[in-house]
Amino acid sequence: MPRILDQRILLLVILFLTGLQSTKVLSEWKKYGDQECETAMNRVQDVTDYLGPDCRYLNFKAGEEIMVYSKLSQKNENLWTGSKGKDFAYFLKDAVKVEELFIAEEVEVFT
């Protein structure tokens, strides 16, 4: 019985550590189009197919349009957040090209 208990505890520790890995903060700073973080910043078009590493990332095919609402800054500046239809998630900025700019100046906010 103690051996089974040890295995269960080990399994719980592994599951806990795996959960911590997936909730890691990508960046503490973001750039937005306004102080209220409500304005779309850009309209972009995908230049390549993109499949994100997990459910926090947007998947898309080349030619689709995405509305950009924020950009990570300082740490992980290569990630932007946006929406495609009803999906909202992170994506690599290098996978898209800017089609239309909606703001004149970006606002950096600590999150």
Side-chain angles (χ1 to χ4, degrees), residues 33-55:
D34 61 24
Q35 278 300 125
E36 291 76 33
C37 311
E38 296 175 340
T39 304
M41 301 173 76
N42 305 355
R43 181 178 54 82
V44 299
Q45 186 173 38
D46 313 332
V47 293
T48 183
D49 292 353
Y50 179 73
L51 181 62
D54 61 43
C55 63

Side-chain angles (χ1 to χ4, degrees), residues 1-7:
M1 185 70 161
R3 183 172 171 87
I4 292 173
L5 185 59
D6 290 344
Q7 290 174 343

Side-chain angles (χ1 to χ4, degrees), residues 24-85:
K24 186 172 78 172
V25 174
L26 296 173
S27 180
E28 293 179 340
W29 291 89
K30 288 185 180 179
K31 293 179 182 175
Y32 293 96
D34 61 24
Q35 278 300 125
E36 291 76 33
C37 311
E38 296 175 340
T39 304
M41 301 173 76
N42 305 355
R43 181 178 54 82
V44 299
Q45 186 173 38
D46 313 332
V47 293
T48 183
D49 292 353
Y50 179 73
L51 181 62
D54 61 43
C55 63
R56 297 176 295 175
Y57 293 80
L58 197 61
N59 299 321
F60 48 78
K61 297 196 181 297
E64 293 183 297
E65 289 187 347
I66 298 173
M67 297 298 289
V68 178
Y69 288 94
S70 70
K71 301 174 181 179
L72 298 187
S73 65
Q74 296 186 16
K75 181 180 171 185
N76 284 327
E77 289 191 5
N78 62 330
L79 289 177
W80 291 359
T81 56
S83 66
K84 178 189 77 165

Side-chain angles (χ1 to χ4, degrees), residues 5-28:
L5 185 59
D6 290 344
Q7 290 174 343
R8 287 181 181 173
I9 290 172
L10 179 61
L11 180 60
L12 284 173
V13 168
I14 291 171
L15 289 173
F16 176 74
L17 292 175
T18 303
L20 281 179
Q21 177 84 15
S22 67
T23 59
K24 186 172 78 172
V25 174
L26 296 173
S27 180
E28 293 179 340

